[in-house]
Amino acid sequence: MTDPRLKTRENPLPLRGCTGRIGVFRALHLGDMLCAVPALRALRTACPDARITVIGLPWARELIARYRHYVDDFLAFPGHPELPETDVGYAAYGRFREAFPKDFDWLIQLHGDGRVTNAIVGQWPAQHMAGFARGGGGCHRYFLPYPSGHEIDRLLALVRYLAGDGPVDLEFPLHAEDFTRLQGTAPFSDLFDAPYVIVHPGSRNPQRRLAPAFFAQAVAWLASKARVVLTGGREERDRNAHIAQNTTRAINAAGMTSLVDLGVLIARARCIVTNDSGPAHLAAALGTPSLVAVSASDPARWAPKNTLRHRVLDARGGLASARFLRMVQDLYEDTGRAVC
């Protein structure tokens, strides 16, 4: 078993240079996971010889596979009855806990402020545990009081405290074969031949969705300029069809794309109009200009950090349809980019 250099006055970064196994717990959804990439990158830089394992919800295996340069393996976490991200009972969680590997040197709780998750992660075997703790009181030496600010900065703060700093840029690696595969798939075979725009009217959280009428108005205008691709999950297909009912220049791709396919579509798009959802973070990672409508979340925590390429529309106090359309038009005309 390795000795991952504990924090002392002479060695203020206890994780730097660790060569053992490090588990990072973050069992959340797409946008939340993308915001953790800078922290994972900084951890790999500080511990190039460590075995880093992300412990997350089963869906995230496809995402984490894109980051083999930072993460060595993935451990699927089924959920816990006290966590809202999944609907799972104690029996399923108990089986996960019983089968949990016994060779972790460090477990890092990167999920949240620790009110619930510290107790959960504390049940798993490891030499050391680190993470966030609510408030300044009761923090052990490897725990950081939960900070305020942007989600990327919050997560990176913990790795900075334990191991070292790193850049805040998001990334989502794509490969040539990803583009080739999507181009060979209907209805996208001729999509890349001319500019197109993505509209993502949905969100996992209903409170984060603008009313469909806003997007219908935007799609009607955008379709007069370029082809439009409406993305979303299978359950959003009918809503997308209703939004695009007045144009024949829209592709309803709801339920038709994998995570990587969605990344390819966003990477090649002229721009994207979306709620505060996973595709907004993918656009930030891929550098595609975006308009992000924020209806319920905190823009200071979740909005794209690059405010030149990405525009944020704060709709929490209500929104006039004319203003939304004007911002869509400005995005297309002023920050839209040519297809690569």
Side-chain angles (χ1 to χ4, degrees):
M1 189 71 70
T2 60
D3 179 11
R5 296 204 261 175
L6 304 185
K7 191 163 193 168
T8 65
R9 182 176 300 178
E10 294 75 23
N11 179 36
L13 299 175
L15 251 176
R16 181 180 288 276
C18 174
T19 58
R21 189 176 186 187
I22 303 171
V24 178
F25 177 64
R26 189 163 176 85
L28 295 165
H29 298 294
L30 178 57
D32 309 89
M33 298 301 289
L34 287 170
C35 284
V37 170
L40 293 173
R41 181 172 55 222
L43 184 61
R44 170 56 74 201
T45 299
C47 308
D49 298 318
R51 179 183 173 190
I52 298 175
T53 301
V54 168
I55 305 166
L57 298 177
W59 78 267
R61 186 181 299 276
E62 182 185 8
L63 175 68
I64 296 303
R66 293 273 130 178
Y67 301 97
R68 291 300 186 192
H69 46 312
Y70 303 141
V71 179
D72 296 287
D73 51 19
F74 177 82
L75 181 60
F77 171 74
H80 189 281
E82 296 181 34
L83 293 179
E85 288 76 26
T86 58
D87 182 16
V88 66
Y90 283 103
Y93 168 72
R95 289 191 292 272
F96 169 83
R97 179 182 172 184
E98 287 298 318
F100 195 87
K102 306 297 193 295
D103 60 342
F104 280 102
D105 294 275
W106 286 84
L107 287 174
I108 302 175
Q109 186 279 106
L110 207 67
H111 185 95
D113 66 10
R115 281 175 291 179
V116 175
T117 48
N118 284 347
I120 294 172
V121 177
Q123 296 173 350
W124 309 337
Q127 284 191 347
H128 308 289
M129 179 179 166
F132 294 113
R134 190 181 183 188
C139 296
H140 301 294
R141 57 180 175 173
Y142 305 131
F143 283 77
L144 190 69
Y146 196 50
S148 59
H150 198 283
E151 186 71 1
I152 294 172
D153 297 323
R154 292 182 192 224
L155 304 181
L156 195 54
L158 180 59
V159 177
R160 184 184 305 120
Y161 174 71
L162 295 169
D165 206 354
V168 300
D169 310 78
L170 296 183
E171 61 180 273
F172 184 72
L174 292 169
H175 311 298
E177 56 267 28
D178 300 324
F179 293 86
T180 301
R181 184 184 64 254
L182 189 65
Q183 283 184 286
T185 305
F188 310 113
S189 55
D190 64 344
L191 184 64
F192 298 161
D193 296 339
Y196 66 91
V197 176
I198 290 180
V199 176
H200 187 82
S203 175
R204 183 179 298 275
N205 183 347
Q207 294 182 331
R208 295 189 178 188
R209 301 176 194 152
L210 284 184
F214 287 98
F215 288 103
Q217 184 182 32
V219 167
W221 186 87
L222 288 167
S224 71
K225 305 293 182 180
R227 296 186 73 181
V228 179
V229 180
L230 288 96
T231 56
R234 186 177 294 107
E235 70 283 358
E236 295 167 320
R237 189 162 184 80
D238 290 344
R239 185 191 300 117
N240 283 5
H242 175 73
I243 288 170
Q245 63 182 331
N246 294 323
T247 179
T248 59
R249 299 193 70 195
I251 297 174
N252 185 356
M256 300 177 64
T257 57
S258 67
L259 173 61
V260 173
D261 293 338
L262 180 60
V264 169
L265 287 174
I266 292 174
R268 283 291 180 89
R270 180 183 177 107
C271 54
I272 176 173
V273 179
T274 177
N275 293 303
D276 178 22
S277 59
H281 297 279
L282 273 177
L286 293 164
T288 300
S290 67
L291 173 62
V292 182
V294 177
S295 301
S297 55
D298 179 6
R301 181 176 180 184
W302 295 107
K305 292 178 75 69
N306 184 333
T307 57
L308 296 177
R309 186 173 291 275
H310 308 286
R311 305 178 180 197
V312 177
L313 176 56
D314 191 343
R316 291 176 294 175
L319 178 64
S321 60
R323 184 180 177 219
F324 179 67
L325 181 59
R326 182 68 254 169
M327 290 195 70
V328 170
Q329 293 167 339
D330 288 345
L331 172 72
Y332 183 86
E333 293 170 353
D334 299 340
T335 32
R337 57 178 175 145
V339 173
C340 299

